[in-house]
Amino acid sequence: MLRKIKVRDIYSCATSYDKIKSQQIIESLYTDFTPWEGLLDFDSTLRAPNGKTIELRNDPAMIVGVANFQGMDVAIIAQQTPGNAQERRARNYGLVQAHGYGLALCMMRYAERYGLTLHTFVDTVGGDPFESSAADLQSWLIARCQARMLDLKTRSVSTIIGQGGQWWRYRFAVGPSPLYASPLHLFRHRARGMRSHFISQRQ
């Protein structure tokens, strides 16, 4: 007899440290991953409507780069949440900062320029709430990410791997048919060990 799945079970798995994270999926499914810093022609500057030039830096809660997937180069934008209690501060508790949204926006632009399919992995705890991100125009960058995903001129595949319900996911998962990976499936998948493939389930 199938066990009735309760909402609290799904939430517990979606927020668990033991759930598979974006980094593990990338290491398992992709080869030759190159982070954005290693892309010679990756433009990491943005000009805001107020004339401010934003020089982007790395965000510990975001993975942005290019990799090979089954013989094809693809662009990757992935949210990375902490894998254990010790990583919480290093990963900024999984809270994406203004620079992370800016890097995602630049990667969308990069994918369009080179005709790369964009793969996004959504695991959204939330946006960084601190003044430094507000000063770097985080609200504007979030809005630009949403608008760019709506008007993206290349193919995209978005997969929800944990948290990311309601409007939060639309920063990186606007598209005709996003994929959803069951949090319970991911939790059990991690418990059995990594495989050479990853199964996503359409909802």
Side-chain angles (χ1 to χ4, degrees):
M1 180 181 294
L2 293 176
R3 183 175 68 88
K4 186 176 181 180
I5 298 175
K6 296 182 179 180
V7 172
R8 67 171 176 266
D9 294 332
I10 297 174
Y11 176 79
S12 177
C13 291
T15 58
S16 172
Y17 286 140
D18 292 326
K19 176 178 59 62
I20 291 176
K21 307 295 182 180
S22 293
Q23 183 69 54
Q24 294 166 303
I25 294 173
I26 292 170
E27 291 173 355
S28 178
L29 290 183
Y30 300 83
T31 58
D32 301 324
F33 176 77
T34 303
W36 66 272
E37 302 101 311
L39 301 173
L40 296 178
D41 49 353
F42 184 85
D43 185 4
S44 59
T45 61
L46 290 171
R47 190 169 183 82
N50 63 2
K52 179 179 180 179
T53 298
I54 305 173
E55 296 284 346
L56 299 173
R57 59 178 183 270
N58 196 41
D59 185 332
M62 287 288 287
I63 300 172
V64 177
V66 171
N68 188 277
F69 179 72
Q70 297 183 352
M72 177 178 64
D73 287 338
V74 298
I76 294 176
I77 298 171
Q79 293 174 288
Q80 178 70 11
T81 53
N84 53 55
Q86 290 71 36
E87 279 190 13
R88 293 184 71 187
R89 179 170 292 184
R91 292 286 181 188
N92 194 36
Y93 303 90
L95 300 171
V96 180
Q97 301 169 342
H99 288 266
Y101 293 115
L103 289 172
L105 190 59
C106 289
M107 181 51 72
M108 294 175 201
R109 186 169 60 192
Y110 187 91
E112 287 180 331
R113 186 191 314 157
Y114 291 103
L116 302 177
T117 299
L118 177 64
H119 291 195
T120 68
F121 293 94
V122 180
D123 193 3
T124 304
V125 176
D128 183 74
F130 297 105
E131 186 176 350
S132 57
S133 282
D136 286 328
L137 306 180
Q138 178 170 263
S139 296
W140 175 74
L141 289 166
I142 290 172
R144 289 299 303 145
C145 282
Q146 292 173 325
R148 197 60 181 258
M149 285 296 290
L150 283 168
D151 194 39
L152 196 66
K153 294 177 175 60
T154 190
R155 293 170 296 179
S156 66
V157 178
S158 299
T159 306
I160 317 298
I161 65 170
Q163 300 179 80
Q166 300 179 350
W167 72 275
W168 290 97
R169 73 175 178 86
Y170 292 106
R171 298 166 183 183
F172 306 121
V174 175
S177 54
L179 302 178
Y180 291 79
S182 162
L184 286 173
H185 170 79
L186 288 173
F187 186 84
R188 292 164 183 163
H189 182 76
R190 168 68 183 272
R192 291 194 301 267
M194 291 297 293
R195 297 177 180 175
S196 60
H197 64 280
F198 179 77
I199 300 173
S200 291
Q201 176 181 339
R202 286 187 183 273
Q203 188 178 61

